[in-house]
Amino acid sequence: MDVKKALKYMFFSTLGFACMNATVKYLKDVNSYQIVFFRSLGSLFFTFGFLLKNKIPIIGKHNTLLIARSVVGASSMLLFFMSVKYLSIGTAVSLRYTAPIFAAIMAVFLLRERVKPLQWLFFVVSFIGVIVLKGLDKHINSYGLILVLIAAVLSGLVYIIISKIGKREHPAVIVNYFMVTATVLGGVLSIGNWVTPKASEWPFLFSLGVFGYIGQIYMTKAFQAASTNIVAPLKYIEVVFTAAIGVMVFQEIYTIWNLLGIALIIGGLVLNVWYKSKYIK
């Protein structure tokens, strides 16, 4: 176990995802369908290359589950990108991270998993954070809030489907299915809603896939370098990086209620990761 390496990898991973989030915010005049298309198309270059280089079969063995994961994941991505147009990027990312809560609730009914009482307490803390954000901060856009929470629910369902797939498929195959589906979905939906990007926006569109891939690959390396209980809480640094970029680049303002709500959401989730890794085997 190499903790220093894991910290370094998660730094680059969270920075990569934060840059992708900021790029989506910058492209506010570009249709969300196009953003999904370019983000996915950019990553396909890397996933296809990896599969071909390592001679891994592109077509998986459990196509129904792979397609289901891809459709649900692509829908979640689209709704999240749409929500960023209505919310500050730090708030949107924080709310998207409620996905593990919805995953745990669905796992109780779909996978017959048990959730410990203390875990429910941590989830309640996170939900209180959501209530603080919406109930005490009148600047939160209701439409954006609904979009990102639905995205989080769908993301939670993705966790369930991946759990069903287990280790029967190579991770790169799962990601590749996701990127292919998202590219097709974004491309088809863009046909009747195309907004021609400005010359200055094209480089940012093409950078989406690069940032997404950097975030994904370094996160994978981090989990390989150290144990989950050390690495998993570090992914929430993405919220800090994203919010900082929002303040510096987009002049976003975070009220005391914003910060309290975000702290409660992330705090509850970090405590849950810590508890699961330490006491649940």
Side-chain angles (χ1 to χ4, degrees):
M1 184 169 68
D2 193 329
V3 177
K4 285 186 177 180
K5 269 191 177 180
L7 289 171
K8 181 179 71 174
Y9 290 149
M10 281 307 289
F11 172 83
F12 287 118
S13 171
T14 53
L15 187 59
F17 282 129
C19 288
M20 185 185 73
N21 298 332
T23 302
V24 172
K25 186 71 172 181
Y26 173 78
L27 296 168
K28 62 182 184 300
D29 296 326
V30 178
N31 196 289
S32 296
Y33 304 138
Q34 292 169 245
I35 293 177
V36 168
F37 174 75
F38 283 102
R39 185 264 182 266
S40 307
L41 184 65
S43 291
L44 267 182
F45 174 80
F46 297 104
T47 56
F48 261 120
F50 179 86
L51 291 173
L52 293 173
K53 179 183 177 183
N54 293 279
K55 297 180 180 179
I56 300 170
I58 293 174
I59 304 298
K61 301 172 184 176
H62 305 85
N63 294 300
T64 301
L65 286 173
L66 287 168
I67 292 171
R69 180 264 181 269
S70 301
V71 171
V72 174
S75 301
S76 176
M77 180 197 295
L78 173 60
L79 291 172
F80 171 68
F81 287 167
M82 290 172 67
S83 74
V84 170
K85 296 180 182 294
Y86 301 94
L87 302 171
S88 62
I89 48 177
T91 299
V93 172
S94 300
L95 290 167
R96 185 191 63 185
Y97 270 132
T98 57
I101 301 174
F102 298 114
I105 294 171
M106 286 185 276
V108 171
F109 298 100
L110 299 177
L111 302 179
R112 297 289 185 258
E113 291 184 1
R114 295 187 64 185
V115 178
K116 301 290 186 181
L118 203 53
Q119 286 180 274
W120 288 119
L121 175 61
F122 297 148
F123 290 155
V124 167
V125 170
S126 293
F127 268 123
I128 290 173
V130 176
I131 293 170
V132 167
L133 275 175
K134 179 54 188 166
L136 299 179
D137 191 333
K138 304 303 180 184
H139 295 94
I140 295 292
N141 183 282
S142 297
Y143 183 60
L145 178 66
I146 292 170
L147 287 173
V148 76
L149 287 179
I150 296 175
V153 171
L154 293 177
S155 186
L157 182 56
V158 166
Y159 296 162
I160 299 297
I161 298 172
I162 290 177
S163 178
K164 291 287 286 184
I165 295 173
K167 296 182 179 179
R168 295 179 292 172
E169 298 284 359
H170 193 284
V173 173
I174 299 174
V175 173
N176 194 62
Y177 262 77
F178 173 34
M179 290 297 103
V180 169
T181 302
T183 300
V184 173
L185 177 67
V188 170
L189 292 176
S190 294
I191 293 173
N193 301 281
W194 183 265
V195 176
T196 302
K198 301 171 186 174
S200 61
E201 291 173 332
W202 282 107
F204 289 95
L205 277 169
F206 287 118
S207 73
L208 285 168
V210 177
F211 287 137
Y213 182 77
I214 288 172
Q216 194 68 50
I217 197 70
Y218 277 106
M219 182 173 67
T220 302
K221 286 177 176 287
F223 277 103
Q224 291 173 335
S227 58
T228 301
N229 65 313
I230 293 174
V231 176
L234 296 175
K235 67 182 179 180
Y236 297 110
I237 297 173
E238 178 188 344
V239 177
V240 178
F241 283 148
T242 303
I245 293 173
V247 171
M248 293 185 292
V249 178
F250 302 107
Q251 286 76 54
E252 292 180 342
I253 297 173
Y254 291 86
T255 67
I256 186 65
W257 299 119
N258 280 142
L259 298 176
L260 177 60
I262 290 172
L264 287 170
I265 291 170
I266 302 306
L269 294 171
V270 169
L271 285 171
N272 178 59
V273 171
W274 167 79
Y275 181 78
K276 280 179 66 178
S277 62
K278 195 168 182 67
Y279 297 106
I280 301 176
K281 303 299 182 183

